[in-house]
Amino acid sequence: MKRLKITGALLALVSICAHAQQDPQFTQYMYNTVNINPAYAGSRGSLSIFGLHRSQWVGLDGAPQTNAFSVNTPLGERKLGLGVSFLNDKLGIMDENTISVDLSYTLDLNNRGSRLSFGMKGSANLLNVEYSRLLTYNPDDPSFQKDIQSQFTPNIGAGIYWHTEKSYLGFSVPNFLETTRYDDNIQSTMKQNMHYYLMGGHVFELNPTLKFKPAFLLKAVNGAPLQADITANFLINDRFTVGGAYRWDAAWSGLIGFQVTDGLFIGYSYDGETTKLANYTNGSHEIFLRFELFNKYRRVNSPRFF
């Protein structure tokens, strides 16, 4: 069996991810909201199908790779939303698969389109750790003799999401249950902590053909610094999106997107590191596709910016 040589940089990376932030990181979070906030399900008023691939820290052996797929839709005129998502996240010798189901309920606050949604998330996680791929100094070390295969962990989460046609604000905790996935009293390979997300944005119409949307995402988890993503996008002729982002004390990003049809949107982003990891990687790439089928209950007449 092919074995993977883990560099010092990757060992430090695994240590950070195992004990602090485990949730996958997305640059285009404003389009992938349902993965972190279940209250978003159905809020676009259409059947929305979303797929994303992220290759992080390209050039570093065992660096994170994430694939996400989700479907969410409103349920008729009952103010309910339903979402189903699948997430695959790889880091070194670890491979996780998570299936989630989201249910939301929306209240109309006034006649101006202000809505408040509440959401619940139920998820099932399967963890695989292939110790057999490691090159160790002591091949007989009992800590690395047995691989972890499809270790099952359930979880629940919740979120709240307020939005109008031009503004949004959301808070969520996707996983309430804190669990130690593996512990041999010497080392802990994977401990799942609660992650807190706060996000928001507003669309400014600068002129009939140009819109500007600043947005932010704050992520907090015990044992790690507060992570802040600040993004600024321009939408030109309701078709072409271009912008930039900054992840506080970590990376800068360039973002582009194109509304191919009223229902099909594709986007790409590139992250450049501002930390010492820049000496070991060629940056991070993220590409996504969103396809929507508008319904008779709440048809979207023009492409939404969030």
Side-chain angles (χ1 to χ4, degrees), residues 71-88:
V71 179
N72 75 91
T73 182
L75 297 177
E77 294 182 293
R78 291 176 290 179
K79 300 183 179 180
L80 294 175
L82 177 66
V84 178
S85 60
F86 171 77
L87 185 67
N88 172 257

Side-chain angles (χ1 to χ4, degrees), residues 147-182:
D147 291 348
I148 297 176
Q149 296 183 345
S150 299
Q151 184 187 81
F152 171 74
T153 304
N155 220 311
I156 57 173
I160 185 170
Y161 181 74
W162 169 83
H163 71 281
T164 67
E165 288 301 315
K166 293 186 177 181
S167 302
Y168 69 96
L169 185 66
F171 176 77
S172 61
V173 181
N175 297 300
F176 282 132
L177 305 182
E178 295 188 334
T179 58
T180 299
R181 307 296 300 278
Y182 173 79

Side-chain angles (χ1 to χ4, degrees), residues 13 53-65 268-271 273 277-286:
L13 170 63
H53 172 77
R54 178 178 176 85
S55 293
Q56 189 165 324
W57 300 326
V58 174
L60 183 65
D61 288 342
Q65 288 199 13
Y268 167 81
S269 67
Y270 172 82
D271 298 355
E273 288 295 313
L277 273 174
N279 298 322
Y280 304 96
T281 79
N282 297 317
S284 304
H285 303 270
E286 193 173 290

Side-chain angles (χ1 to χ4, degrees), residues 115-131:
R115 296 177 174 87
L116 183 65
S117 301
F118 303 88
M120 293 293 296
K121 178 185 290 288
S123 60
N125 180 278
L126 296 175
L127 173 67
N128 298 284
V129 183
E130 297 183 81
Y131 292 116

Side-chain angles (χ1 to χ4, degrees), residues 31-225:
Y31 304 112
N32 194 30
T33 307
V34 74
N35 268 297
I36 60 176
N37 192 332
Y40 187 81
S43 67
R44 291 184 59 81
S46 62
L47 173 66
S48 183
I49 303 170
F50 182 89
L52 176 146
H53 172 77
R54 178 178 176 85
S55 293
Q56 189 165 324
W57 300 326
V58 174
L60 183 65
D61 288 342
Q65 288 199 13
T66 304
N67 294 289
F69 177 80
S70 65
V71 179
N72 75 91
T73 182
L75 297 177
E77 294 182 293
R78 291 176 290 179
K79 300 183 179 180
L80 294 175
L82 177 66
V84 178
S85 60
F86 171 77
L87 185 67
N88 172 257
D89 193 37
K90 297 178 181 178
L91 171 64
I93 60 173
M94 294 188 292
D95 188 333
E96 287 190 277
N97 293 296
T98 303
I99 299 175
S100 302
V101 177
D102 304 313
L103 183 65
S104 69
Y105 180 78
T106 299
L107 297 174
D108 292 322
L109 299 183
N110 56 40
N111 296 325
R112 299 179 180 179
S114 178
R115 296 177 174 87
L116 183 65
S117 301
F118 303 88
M120 293 293 296
K121 178 185 290 288
S123 60
N125 180 278
L126 296 175
L127 173 67
N128 298 284
V129 183
E130 297 183 81
Y131 292 116
S132 56
R133 296 171 60 197
L134 287 173
L135 293 177
T136 61
Y137 288 106
N138 180 10
D140 298 321
D141 188 336
S143 301
F144 302 101
Q145 292 300 305
K146 186 178 180 181
D147 291 348
I148 297 176
Q149 296 183 345
S150 299
Q151 184 187 81
F152 171 74
T153 304
N155 220 311
I156 57 173
I160 185 170
Y161 181 74
W162 169 83
H163 71 281
T164 67
E165 288 301 315
K166 293 186 177 181
S167 302
Y168 69 96
L169 185 66
F171 176 77
S172 61
V173 181
N175 297 300
F176 282 132
L177 305 182
E178 295 188 334
T179 58
T180 299
R181 307 296 300 278
Y182 173 79
D183 194 344
D184 62 1
N185 297 319
I186 299 176
Q187 62 180 338
S188 178
T189 299
M190 176 63 74
K191 183 176 181 180
Q192 182 70 41
N193 297 323
M194 281 198 297
H195 289 61
Y196 304 88
Y197 292 90
L198 177 66
M199 67 185 308
H202 182 77
V203 178
F204 297 91
E205 188 168 341
L206 303 182
N207 61 52
T209 62
L210 181 63
K211 295 181 177 69
F212 170 62
K213 188 192 76 173
F216 71 89
L217 172 67
L218 302 180
K219 180 167 69 173
V221 56
N222 185 35

Side-chain angles (χ1 to χ4, degrees), residues 228-244:
D229 286 62
I230 301 171
T231 308
N233 280 332
F234 290 91
L235 179 63
I236 304 169
N237 290 325
D238 285 335
R239 290 291 178 185
F240 183 68
T241 301
V242 60

